[in-house]
Amino acid sequence: MMPHSDNQPIVPGISLDAAGQATVDPVLADLLFDLAIQLEEPTNQPVDVEHVLAAIILAARKGELDATKPLTADAELVAVLVEHVKSIFTDYDGKVGRDD
């Protein structure tokens, strides 16, 4: 088992381990759910929490999110995530993670 310190922070409350598995602070659950609902209309896709999480990671890797700034379900974040959510459905057929 790897020490927690090996996790790569994405944004406050979300980190990735060496295997690429995301760890999400439970306090972010409602925020991710709210974002999923907000992203369904602009993307015209059935967005779930896993899609939002994947989009946040993609946006962070492209430098579009401040790794030190806590996430808020605001229009600015939704605007950043829309294209990433669309690409998840276009490039990966909406499949994220190992369970799909």
Side-chain angles (χ1 to χ4, degrees):
M1 183 134 161
M2 296 198 165
H4 193 71
S5 62
D6 284 354
N7 286 0
Q8 172 195 3
I10 301 298
V11 292
I14 300 174
S15 61
L16 284 181
D17 66 18
Q21 291 286 359
T23 303
V24 181
D25 192 315
V27 300
L28 291 179
D30 287 345
L31 173 77
L32 294 177
F33 186 75
D34 290 347
L35 285 167
I37 292 168
Q38 290 182 48
L39 283 160
E40 284 195 343
E41 191 176 329
T43 62
N44 202 27
Q45 297 290 349
V47 181
D48 66 23
V49 170
E50 284 79 19
H51 297 122
V52 175
L53 183 58
I56 289 168
I57 293 166
L58 290 170
R61 285 187 172 157
K62 286 185 86 178
E64 297 170 353
L65 298 177
D66 181 343
T68 63
K69 184 179 172 218
L71 296 176
T72 53
D74 58 20
E76 185 182 345
L77 179 57
V78 170
V80 168
L81 297 181
V82 165
E83 290 308 314
H84 293 290
V85 171
K86 285 181 179 178
S87 76
I88 290 164
F89 281 93
T90 302
D91 301 341
Y92 305 103
D93 201 29
K95 292 174 174 44
V96 291
R98 296 194 172 104
D99 299 337
D100 289 340

Coordinates of all heavy atoms in Angstrom, one line a residue:
M1 N 0.8 -1.2 0.0 CA 0.0 0.0 0.0 C 0.9 1.3 0.0 O 1.9 1.3 0.7 CB -0.9 0.0 1.2 CG -1.8 1.1 1.3 SD -3.5 0.6 1.7 CE -4.1 2.1 2.2
M2 N 0.5 2.2 -0.8 CA 1.3 3.4 -0.9 C 0.9 4.4 0.1 O -0.2 4.6 0.5 CB 1.1 4.0 -2.3 CG 1.5 3.2 -3.4 SD 1.7 4.2 -4.9 CE 2.6 3.1 -5.9
P3 N 1.9 5.2 0.6 CA 1.6 6.2 1.5 C 0.7 7.3 0.9 O 0.8 7.6 -0.3 CB 2.9 6.8 1.9 CG 3.9 6.2 1.1 CD 3.3 5.1 0.3
H4 N -0.2 7.9 1.6 CA -1.1 8.9 1.1 C -0.3 10.1 0.5 O -0.8 10.7 -0.4 CB -2.0 9.4 2.3 CG -3.1 10.3 1.9 ND1 -4.2 9.7 1.2 CD2 -3.4 11.6 2.0 CE1 -5.1 10.7 0.9 NE2 -4.6 11.8 1.4
S5 N 0.9 10.3 0.9 CA 1.7 11.5 0.4 C 2.0 11.3 -1.1 O 2.4 12.3 -1.7 CB 2.9 11.7 1.2 OG 3.7 10.5 1.2
D6 N 1.9 10.1 -1.6 CA 2.2 9.9 -3.0 C 1.1 10.4 -3.9 O 1.2 10.4 -5.1 CB 2.4 8.4 -3.3 CG 3.8 7.9 -2.8 OD1 4.6 8.8 -2.4 OD2 4.1 6.7 -2.9
N7 N 0.0 10.7 -3.3 CA -1.1 11.2 -4.1 C -0.8 12.6 -4.7 O -0.3 13.4 -4.1 CB -2.4 11.3 -3.3 CG -3.0 9.9 -3.0 OD1 -2.5 8.9 -3.5 ND2 -4.1 9.9 -2.3
Q8 N -1.2 12.7 -6.0 CA -1.0 14.0 -6.7 C -2.3 14.9 -6.5 O -3.3 14.5 -7.0 CB -0.8 13.7 -8.2 CG -0.7 15.0 -9.0 CD -0.8 14.7 -10.5 OE1 -1.0 13.5 -10.9 NE2 -0.7 15.7 -11.3
P9 N -2.1 16.0 -5.9 CA -3.3 16.9 -5.7 C -3.8 17.4 -7.0 O -2.9 17.9 -7.8 CB -2.9 18.0 -4.7 CG -1.4 17.9 -4.7 CD -1.0 16.6 -5.2
I10 N -5.1 17.4 -7.3 CA -5.6 18.0 -8.5 C -6.2 19.4 -8.2 O -5.8 20.4 -8.8 CB -6.7 17.1 -9.1 CG1 -6.2 15.7 -9.4 CG2 -7.4 17.7 -10.3 CD1 -5.1 15.6 -10.5
V11 N -7.1 19.4 -7.3 CA -7.7 20.6 -6.7 C -8.0 20.2 -5.2 O -8.0 19.0 -4.9 CB -9.0 21.1 -7.4 CG1 -8.7 21.5 -8.8 CG2 -10.1 20.0 -7.4
P12 N -8.2 21.2 -4.4 CA -8.5 20.8 -2.9 C -9.6 19.8 -2.8 O -10.7 20.0 -3.4 CB -8.9 22.2 -2.3 CG -8.1 23.2 -3.1 CD -8.2 22.7 -4.5
G13 N -9.3 18.7 -2.2 CA -10.3 17.6 -2.0 C -10.3 16.5 -3.0 O -11.0 15.5 -2.9
I14 N -9.5 16.7 -4.1 CA -9.4 15.7 -5.1 C -7.9 15.4 -5.4 O -7.1 16.3 -5.6 CB -10.1 16.1 -6.4 CG1 -11.6 16.3 -6.2 CG2 -9.9 15.0 -7.5 CD1 -12.3 16.9 -7.4
S15 N -7.5 14.1 -5.3 CA -6.1 13.8 -5.7 C -6.1 12.5 -6.4 O -7.1 11.7 -6.4 CB -5.3 13.7 -4.4 OG -5.8 12.6 -3.5
L16 N -5.0 12.2 -7.1 CA -4.8 11.0 -7.9 C -3.7 10.2 -7.3 O -2.7 10.8 -6.9 CB -4.5 11.3 -9.3 CG -5.6 11.7 -10.3 CD1 -5.0 11.9 -11.7 CD2 -6.7 10.7 -10.3
D17 N -3.9 8.9 -7.1 CA -2.7 8.0 -6.7 C -1.9 7.6 -7.9 O -2.2 7.9 -9.0 CB -3.2 6.9 -5.8 CG -4.1 5.8 -6.6 OD1 -4.0 5.8 -7.9 OD2 -4.7 5.0 -6.0
A18 N -0.8 6.9 -7.6 CA 0.1 6.5 -8.7 C -0.6 5.6 -9.8 O -0.2 5.6 -10.9 CB 1.3 5.7 -8.1
A19 N -1.6 4.9 -9.4 CA -2.4 4.0 -10.3 C -3.4 4.8 -11.1 O -4.1 4.3 -12.0 CB -3.0 2.9 -9.6
G20 N -3.5 6.1 -10.8 CA -4.5 6.9 -11.5 C -5.9 6.9 -11.0 O -6.9 7.4 -11.5
Q21 N -6.0 6.3 -9.8 CA -7.3 6.3 -9.1 C -7.5 7.6 -8.3 O -6.7 8.1 -7.6 CB -7.4 5.1 -8.1 CG -7.5 3.8 -8.8 CD -8.8 3.5 -9.4 OE1 -9.8 4.3 -9.3 NE2 -8.9 2.3 -10.0
A22 N -8.7 8.2 -8.5 CA -9.0 9.5 -7.9 C -9.5 9.2 -6.4 O -10.2 8.3 -6.2 CB -10.0 10.3 -8.6
T23 N -9.1 10.1 -5.5 CA -9.6 10.1 -4.2 C -10.3 11.4 -4.0 O -9.8 12.5 -4.4 CB -8.5 10.0 -3.2 OG1 -7.7 8.9 -3.4 CG2 -9.0 10.0 -1.7
V24 N -11.6 11.3 -3.6 CA -12.4 12.5 -3.5 C -12.9 12.7 -2.0 O -13.4 11.8 -1.4 CB -13.7 12.5 -4.4 CG1 -14.5 13.7 -4.3 CG2 -13.3 12.2 -5.8
D25 N -12.6 13.9 -1.5 CA -13.1 14.2 -0.1 C -14.6 14.1 -0.1 O -15.3 14.7 -1.0 CB -12.6 15.6 0.2 CG -12.8 15.9 1.7 OD1 -13.8 15.6 2.3 OD2 -11.8 16.4 2.3
P26 N -15.2 13.4 0.9 CA -16.6 13.2 0.9 C -17.4 14.6 0.9 O -18.5 14.6 0.5 CB -16.9 12.5 2.2 CG -15.6 11.7 2.5 CD -14.5 12.6 1.9
V27 N -16.8 15.6 1.4 CA -17.5 16.9 1.4 C -17.7 17.5 0.0 O -18.6 18.3 -0.2 CB -16.8 18.0 2.3 CG1 -16.6 17.6 3.7 CG2 -15.4 18.4 1.7
L28 N -17.1 16.9 -1.0 CA -17.3 17.3 -2.4 C -18.4 16.6 -3.1 O -18.7 17.0 -4.2 CB -16.0 17.2 -3.2 CG -14.8 18.1 -2.8 CD1 -13.6 17.8 -3.7 CD2 -15.2 19.6 -3.0
A29 N -19.0 15.6 -2.5 CA -20.0 14.8 -3.1 C -21.1 15.6 -3.7 O -21.5 15.5 -4.8 CB -20.5 13.7 -2.2
D30 N -21.7 16.5 -2.8 CA -22.8 17.3 -3.3 C -22.4 18.2 -4.4 O -23.2 18.4 -5.3 CB -23.4 18.1 -2.1 CG -24.2 17.2 -1.1 OD1 -24.5 16.0 -1.5 OD2 -24.4 17.7 0.0
L31 N -21.2 18.8 -4.3 CA -20.7 19.7 -5.3 C -20.6 19.0 -6.7 O -21.1 19.5 -7.7 CB -19.4 20.3 -4.9 CG -18.7 21.1 -6.0 CD1 -19.4 22.5 -6.1 CD2 -17.2 21.3 -5.8
L32 N -20.0 17.8 -6.7 CA -19.9 17.0 -7.9 C -21.3 16.7 -8.5 O -21.5 16.8 -9.7 CB -19.1 15.8 -7.7 CG -17.6 16.0 -7.3 CD1 -16.9 14.7 -7.0 CD2 -16.8 16.8 -8.4
F33 N -22.2 16.3 -7.6 CA -23.5 16.0 -8.1 C -24.2 17.3 -8.7 O -24.8 17.2 -9.8 CB -24.4 15.5 -6.9 CG -25.7 15.0 -7.3 CD1 -25.9 13.8 -8.0 CD2 -26.9 15.8 -7.0 CE1 -27.2 13.4 -8.4 CE2 -28.1 15.3 -7.4 CZ -28.3 14.1 -8.1
D34 N -24.1 18.4 -8.0 CA -24.6 19.7 -8.6 C -24.0 20.0 -9.9 O -24.7 20.4 -10.8 CB -24.4 20.8 -7.6 CG -25.2 20.7 -6.3 OD1 -26.1 19.9 -6.2 OD2 -24.9 21.5 -5.4
L35 N -22.7 19.8 -10.0 CA -22.1 20.1 -11.3 C -22.6 19.2 -12.4 O -22.8 19.6 -13.6 CB -20.5 20.0 -11.2 CG -19.9 21.1 -10.4 CD1 -18.4 20.8 -10.1 CD2 -19.9 22.4 -11.3
A36 N -22.8 17.9 -12.1 CA -23.3 16.9 -13.1 C -24.6 17.4 -13.6 O -24.9 17.4 -14.8 CB -23.4 15.5 -12.4
I37 N -25.5 17.8 -12.7 CA -26.8 18.3 -13.1 C -26.7 19.6 -14.0 O -27.3 19.7 -15.1 CB -27.7 18.6 -11.9 CG1 -28.0 17.3 -11.2 CG2 -29.0 19.4 -12.3 CD1 -28.7 17.5 -9.8
Q38 N -25.8 20.5 -13.6 CA -25.6 21.7 -14.4 C -24.9 21.5 -15.7 O -25.1 22.2 -16.7 CB -24.7 22.7 -13.6 CG -25.3 23.3 -12.4 CD -24.4 24.3 -11.7 OE1 -23.8 25.1 -12.3 NE2 -24.2 24.1 -10.4
L39 N -24.2 20.4 -15.9 CA -23.5 20.1 -17.1 C -24.3 19.3 -18.1 O -24.0 19.2 -19.3 CB -22.2 19.3 -16.9 CG -21.1 20.2 -16.3 CD1 -20.0 19.4 -15.6 CD2 -20.4 21.0 -17.4
E40 N -25.5 18.8 -17.7 CA -26.3 18.0 -18.6 C -26.8 18.8 -19.8 O -26.8 18.4 -20.9 CB -27.4 17.2 -17.9 CG -26.9 16.1 -17.1 CD -28.0 15.1 -16.6 OE1 -29.2 15.5 -16.6 OE2 -27.6 14.0 -16.3
E41 N -27.4 20.0 -19.5 CA -28.0 20.8 -20.5 C -26.9 21.3 -21.5 O -27.1 21.1 -22.7 CB -28.8 21.9 -19.9 CG -29.6 22.6 -21.0 CD -30.5 23.7 -20.4 OE1 -30.9 23.6 -19.2 OE2 -30.7 24.7 -21.1
P42 N -25.8 21.9 -21.1 CA -24.9 22.4 -22.1 C -24.2 21.4 -22.9 O -23.7 21.6 -24.0 CB -23.9 23.3 -21.3 CG -24.0 22.8 -19.9 CD -25.4 22.3 -19.7
T43 N -24.1 20.2 -22.4 CA -23.4 19.1 -23.1 C -24.3 18.2 -23.8 O -23.9 17.4 -24.7 CB -22.5 18.2 -22.1 OG1 -23.4 17.6 -21.2 CG2 -21.5 19.0 -21.4
N44 N -25.6 18.2 -23.4 CA -26.6 17.4 -24.0 C -26.3 15.9 -23.8 O -26.5 15.1 -24.7 CB -26.9 17.7 -25.5 CG -28.2 17.2 -26.0 OD1 -29.2 17.1 -25.2 ND2 -28.3 16.9 -27.3
Q45 N -25.7 15.6 -22.6 CA -25.3 14.2 -22.3 C -25.8 13.9 -20.9 O -26.0 14.7 -20.1 CB -23.8 14.1 -22.3 CG -23.1 14.4 -23.7 CD -23.4 13.3 -24.7 OE1 -23.9 12.2 -24.4 NE2 -23.1 13.5 -25.9
P46 N -25.9 12.6 -20.6 CA -26.3 12.1 -19.3 C -25.1 12.1 -18.4 O -24.5 11.1 -18.2 CB -26.8 10.7 -19.5 CG -26.0 10.2 -20.7 CD -25.8 11.5 -21.6
V47 N -24.8 13.3 -17.8 CA -23.6 13.5 -17.0 C -23.8 12.9 -15.6 O -24.8 13.2 -15.0 CB -23.2 15.0 -17.0 CG1 -21.9 15.2 -16.2 CG2 -23.1 15.6 -18.4
D48 N -22.8 12.2 -15.2 CA -22.8 11.7 -13.8 C -21.6 12.2 -13.0 O -20.7 12.9 -13.6 CB -23.0 10.2 -13.7 CG -21.8 9.4 -14.2 OD1 -20.7 9.9 -14.3 OD2 -22.1 8.2 -14.5
V49 N -21.5 11.9 -11.8 CA -20.4 12.4 -10.9 C -19.0 12.0 -11.5 O -18.1 12.7 -11.5 CB -20.6 11.9 -9.5 CG1 -19.4 12.2 -8.6 CG2 -21.8 12.6 -8.9
E50 N -18.9 10.7 -12.0 CA -17.7 10.3 -12.6 C -17.2 11.1 -13.8 O -16.0 11.3 -14.0 CB -17.7 8.8 -13.0 CG -17.7 7.8 -11.8 CD -19.0 7.7 -11.0 OE1 -20.1 8.0 -11.6 OE2 -19.0 7.3 -9.9
H51 N -18.2 11.5 -14.6 CA -17.8 12.3 -15.8 C -17.3 13.7 -15.3 O -16.4 14.2 -15.8 CB -19.1 12.6 -16.6 CG -19.6 11.3 -17.3 ND1 -20.9 10.9 -17.1 CD2 -19.0 10.4 -18.1 CE1 -21.1 9.8 -17.7 NE2 -20.0 9.4 -18.3
V52 N -18.0 14.2 -14.3 CA -17.5 15.5 -13.7 C -16.1 15.4 -13.1 O -15.2 16.2 -13.4 CB -18.5 16.0 -12.6 CG1 -18.0 17.3 -12.0 CG2 -19.9 16.2 -13.2
L53 N -15.9 14.3 -12.4 CA -14.5 14.1 -11.8 C -13.5 14.0 -12.9 O -12.4 14.6 -12.8 CB -14.6 12.9 -10.9 CG -13.3 12.5 -10.2 CD1 -12.8 13.7 -9.3 CD2 -13.5 11.3 -9.4
A54 N -13.8 13.2 -13.9 CA -12.8 13.1 -15.1 C -12.6 14.4 -15.7 O -11.4 14.8 -16.1 CB -13.4 12.1 -16.1
A55 N -13.6 15.2 -15.9 CA -13.5 16.5 -16.6 C -12.6 17.5 -15.7 O -11.8 18.2 -16.3 CB -14.9 17.1 -16.8
I56 N -12.8 17.4 -14.4 CA -12.0 18.2 -13.5 C -10.5 17.8 -13.6 O -9.7 18.7 -13.7 CB -12.5 18.1 -12.0 CG1 -13.9 18.8 -11.9 CG2 -11.5 18.6 -11.1 CD1 -14.6 18.5 -10.6
I57 N -10.3 16.5 -13.7 CA -8.9 16.1 -13.8 C -8.3 16.5 -15.1 O -7.2 17.0 -15.2 CB -8.8 14.6 -13.6 CG1 -9.2 14.2 -12.1 CG2 -7.4 14.0 -14.0 CD1 -9.4 12.7 -11.9
L58 N -9.1 16.4 -16.2 CA -8.6 16.8 -17.5 C -8.3 18.3 -17.5 O -7.3 18.8 -18.1 CB -9.6 16.5 -18.6 CG -9.8 15.0 -18.9 CD1 -11.0 14.8 -19.8 CD2 -8.5 14.4 -19.6
A59 N -9.2 19.1 -17.0 CA -9.0 20.6 -17.0 C -7.8 20.9 -16.1 O -7.1 21.8 -16.5 CB -10.3 21.2 -16.4
A60 N -7.6 20.3 -15.0 CA -6.5 20.6 -14.1 C -5.2 20.2 -14.9 O -4.2 21.0 -14.8 CB -6.6 19.8 -12.8
R61 N -5.2 19.1 -15.6 CA -3.9 18.8 -16.3 C -3.6 19.7 -17.4 O -2.4 19.9 -17.8 CB -4.1 17.3 -16.9 CG -4.0 16.3 -15.8 CD -4.0 14.9 -16.4 NE -3.7 13.9 -15.5 CZ -4.0 12.6 -15.6 NH1 -4.7 12.2 -16.6 NH2 -3.7 11.8 -14.6
K62 N -4.6 20.4 -17.9 CA -4.4 21.4 -19.0 C -4.1 22.8 -18.4 O -4.0 23.8 -19.1 CB -5.6 21.5 -19.9 CG -5.7 20.3 -20.9 CD -6.8 20.5 -21.9 CE -6.3 21.3 -23.1 NZ -7.4 21.4 -24.1
G63 N -4.1 22.9 -17.1 CA -3.8 24.1 -16.4 C -5.0 25.1 -16.4 O -4.8 26.3 -16.2
E64 N -6.2 24.6 -16.6 CA -7.4 25.4 -16.6 C -8.0 25.6 -15.2 O -8.9 26.5 -15.1 CB -8.4 24.8 -17.6 CG -7.9 24.7 -19.0 CD -8.8 23.9 -19.9 OE1 -9.8 23.3 -19.4 OE2 -8.5 23.9 -21.1
L65 N -7.5 24.9 -14.3 CA -8.0 25.0 -12.9 C -6.8 25.3 -12.0 O -5.7 24.9 -12.2 CB -8.7 23.7 -12.4 CG -9.9 23.3 -13.2 CD1 -10.4 22.0 -12.6 CD2 -11.0 24.3 -13.1
D66 N -7.1 26.2 -11.0 CA -6.1 26.5 -10.0 C -6.1 25.4 -8.9 O -7.1 25.2 -8.2 CB -6.5 27.8 -9.3 CG -5.4 28.3 -8.3 OD1 -4.6 27.5 -7.8 OD2 -5.5 29.5 -7.9
A67 N -4.9 24.7 -8.8 CA -4.8 23.5 -7.9 C -5.0 23.9 -6.4 O -5.1 23.1 -5.6 CB -3.5 22.8 -8.1
T68 N -4.9 25.2 -6.2 CA -5.0 25.7 -4.8 C -6.4 26.2 -4.4 O -6.7 26.5 -3.3 CB -3.9 26.7 -4.4 OG1 -4.2 27.9 -5.3 CG2 -2.5 26.2 -4.7
K69 N -7.2 26.4 -5.4 CA -8.5 27.1 -5.2 C -9.6 26.0 -5.1 O -9.8 25.2 -6.0 CB -8.8 28.0 -6.5 CG -10.1 28.8 -6.3 CD -10.3 29.7 -7.5 CE -11.6 30.3 -7.5 NZ -12.2 30.4 -8.8
P70 N -10.4 26.0 -4.0 CA -11.5 25.1 -3.8 C -12.5 25.3 -5.0 O -12.8 26.4 -5.4 CB -12.1 25.4 -2.5 CG -11.0 26.2 -1.8 CD -10.2 26.9 -2.8
L71 N -13.1 24.2 -5.4 CA -14.1 24.2 -6.4 C -15.4 24.8 -5.9 O -15.8 24.5 -4.8 CB -14.4 22.8 -6.9 CG -13.2 22.0 -7.6 CD1 -13.6 20.6 -7.9 CD2 -12.8 22.8 -8.9
T72 N -16.1 25.5 -6.8 CA -17.4 25.9 -6.5 C -18.3 25.7 -7.8 O -17.8 25.8 -8.9 CB -17.5 27.5 -6.2 OG1 -16.8 28.2 -7.2 CG2 -16.8 27.8 -4.9
A73 N -19.5 25.4 -7.6 CA -20.4 25.0 -8.7 C -20.9 26.3 -9.3 O -22.1 26.6 -9.3 CB -21.6 24.2 -8.2
D74 N -20.0 27.1 -9.9 CA -20.4 28.3 -10.5 C -20.3 28.3 -12.1 O -19.8 27.3 -12.6 CB -19.6 29.5 -10.0 CG -18.1 29.3 -10.2 OD1 -17.7 28.5 -11.1 OD2 -17.3 30.0 -9.5
A75 N -20.8 29.3 -12.7 CA -20.9 29.3 -14.2 C -19.5 29.2 -14.8 O -19.3 28.6 -15.8 CB -21.6 30.5 -14.7
E76 N -18.5 29.8 -14.1 CA -17.1 29.8 -14.7 C -16.6 28.4 -14.7 O -16.0 27.9 -15.7 CB -16.2 30.7 -13.8 CG -14.8 30.8 -14.3 CD -14.0 31.7 -13.3 OE1 -14.5 32.3 -12.4 OE2 -12.7 31.6 -13.5
L77 N -16.8 27.6 -13.6 CA -16.3 26.2 -13.6 C -17.1 25.4 -14.6 O -16.5 24.6 -15.4 CB -16.4 25.6 -12.2 CG -15.9 24.2 -12.1 CD1 -14.5 24.0 -12.5 CD2 -16.1 23.7 -10.7
V78 N -18.4 25.5 -14.7 CA -19.2 24.8 -15.7 C -18.7 25.1 -17.1 O -18.5 24.1 -17.9 CB -20.7 25.2 -15.5 CG1 -21.5 24.6 -16.7 CG2 -21.2 24.6 -14.2
A79 N -18.4 26.3 -17.4 CA -17.9 26.7 -18.7 C -16.6 26.0 -19.0 O -16.4 25.5 -20.2 CB -17.7 28.2 -18.8
V80 N -15.7 25.9 -18.0 CA -14.4 25.2 -18.2 C -14.6 23.7 -18.5 O -14.0 23.1 -19.3 CB -13.5 25.4 -17.0 CG1 -12.3 24.4 -17.1 CG2 -13.0 26.8 -16.9
L81 N -15.6 23.1 -17.7 CA -15.8 21.7 -17.8 C -16.6 21.2 -19.0 O -16.5 20.0 -19.4 CB -16.5 21.2 -16.5 CG -15.7 21.4 -15.2 CD1 -16.4 20.9 -14.0 CD2 -14.3 20.8 -15.3
V82 N -17.4 22.0 -19.6 CA -18.3 21.6 -20.7 C -17.5 20.9 -21.8 O -17.9 19.8 -22.2 CB -19.1 22.8 -21.3 CG1 -19.7 22.5 -22.6 CG2 -20.2 23.2 -20.3
E83 N -16.4 21.5 -22.3 CA -15.7 20.9 -23.4 C -15.1 19.6 -23.0 O -15.0 18.7 -23.8 CB -14.6 21.9 -23.9 CG -15.2 23.1 -24.7 CD -16.2 22.7 -25.8 OE1 -16.0 21.8 -26.6 OE2 -17.3 23.3 -25.8
H84 N -14.6 19.5 -21.7 CA -14.0 18.3 -21.3 C -15.0 17.1 -21.2 O -14.8 16.0 -21.6 CB -13.3 18.5 -20.0 CG -12.1 19.4 -20.1 ND1 -10.9 19.0 -20.8 CD2 -11.9 20.6 -19.7 CE1 -10.1 20.0 -20.7 NE2 -10.6 21.0 -20.1
V85 N -16.2 17.5 -20.7 CA -17.3 16.5 -20.6 C -17.7 16.0 -22.0 O -17.8 14.8 -22.3 CB -18.5 17.0 -19.8 CG1 -19.7 16.1 -19.9 CG2 -18.2 17.2 -18.3
K86 N -17.8 17.0 -22.9 CA -18.1 16.6 -24.3 C -17.1 15.7 -24.9 O -17.4 14.7 -25.5 CB -18.2 17.9 -25.2 CG -19.5 18.7 -25.0 CD -19.5 19.9 -25.9 CE -20.8 20.7 -25.7 NZ -20.8 21.9 -26.6
S87 N -15.8 16.0 -24.6 CA -14.7 15.1 -25.1 C -14.8 13.7 -24.5 O -14.4 12.7 -25.2 CB -13.4 15.8 -25.0 OG -12.9 15.7 -23.6
I88 N -15.2 13.6 -23.3 CA -15.3 12.3 -22.6 C -16.3 11.5 -23.4 O -16.1 10.3 -23.7 CB -15.6 12.4 -21.1 CG1 -14.4 13.0 -20.4 CG2 -16.1 11.1 -20.6 CD1 -14.8 13.5 -19.0
F89 N -17.4 12.1 -23.8 CA -18.5 11.3 -24.5 C -18.1 11.1 -26.0 O -18.3 10.1 -26.5 CB -19.8 12.1 -24.4 CG -20.5 11.8 -23.1 CD1 -20.4 12.7 -22.1 CD2 -21.3 10.7 -23.0 CE1 -21.0 12.5 -20.9 CE2 -22.0 10.5 -21.7 CZ -21.8 11.4 -20.7
T90 N -17.4 12.1 -26.6 CA -16.9 11.9 -28.0 C -15.8 10.9 -28.1 O -15.8 10.0 -28.9 CB -16.5 13.3 -28.5 OG1 -17.6 14.2 -28.4 CG2 -16.1 13.2 -30.0
D91 N -14.7 11.1 -27.3 CA -13.5 10.3 -27.4 C -13.6 9.0 -26.7 O -12.9 8.0 -27.1 CB -12.3 11.1 -26.9 CG -12.1 12.4 -27.6 OD1 -12.6 12.6 -28.7 OD2 -11.4 13.3 -27.0
Y92 N -14.4 8.9 -25.6 CA -14.4 7.6 -24.8 C -15.8 7.0 -24.7 O -16.0 6.2 -23.9 CB -13.8 7.9 -23.4 CG -12.4 8.5 -23.5 CD1 -12.3 9.9 -23.3 CD2 -11.3 7.8 -23.8 CE1 -11.0 10.5 -23.3 CE2 -10.1 8.3 -23.8 CZ -9.9 9.7 -23.6 OH -8.7 10.2 -23.7
D93 N -16.7 7.5 -25.5 CA -18.1 7.0 -25.5 C -18.7 7.1 -24.2 O -19.6 6.3 -23.8 CB -18.1 5.6 -26.0 CG -19.5 5.2 -26.5 OD1 -20.2 6.0 -27.0 OD2 -19.8 4.0 -26.4
G94 N -18.3 8.2 -23.4 CA -18.9 8.4 -22.1 C -18.4 7.4 -21.0 O -18.8 7.5 -19.9
K95 N -17.4 6.6 -21.3 CA -16.9 5.6 -20.4 C -15.7 6.2 -19.6 O -14.8 6.7 -20.2 CB -16.5 4.3 -21.1 CG -17.7 3.6 -21.6 CD -17.3 2.4 -22.4 CE -18.4 1.5 -22.9 NZ -19.6 2.2 -23.4
V96 N -15.8 6.1 -18.3 CA -14.7 6.6 -17.4 C -14.4 5.5 -16.4 O -15.3 4.8 -16.0 CB -15.0 7.9 -16.8 CG1 -15.0 9.1 -17.8 CG2 -16.3 7.9 -16.0
G97 N -13.2 5.4 -16.0 CA -12.9 4.4 -14.9 C -12.8 3.0 -15.4 O -13.0 2.7 -16.6
R98 N -12.6 2.1 -14.5 CA -12.4 0.7 -14.8 C -13.7 -0.1 -14.8 O -13.8 -1.2 -15.3 CB -11.5 0.1 -13.9 CG -10.1 0.7 -13.9 CD -9.1 -0.2 -13.2 NE -7.7 0.3 -13.4 CZ -7.1 1.0 -12.6 NH1 -7.6 1.3 -11.4 NH2 -5.8 1.4 -12.9
D99 N -14.8 0.5 -14.3 CA -16.1 -0.2 -14.1 C -16.9 -0.2 -15.4 O -17.8 -1.0 -15.5 CB -16.9 0.3 -12.9 CG -16.1 0.2 -11.6 OD1 -15.2 -0.6 -11.5 OD2 -16.4 1.0 -10.7
D100 N -16.7 0.7 -16.2 CA -17.5 0.9 -17.4 C -17.2 -0.2 -18.5 O -16.1 -0.5 -18.7 CB -17.4 2.3 -18.0 CG -18.0 3.3 -17.1 OD1 -18.9 2.9 -16.3 OD2 -17.7 4.5 -17.3

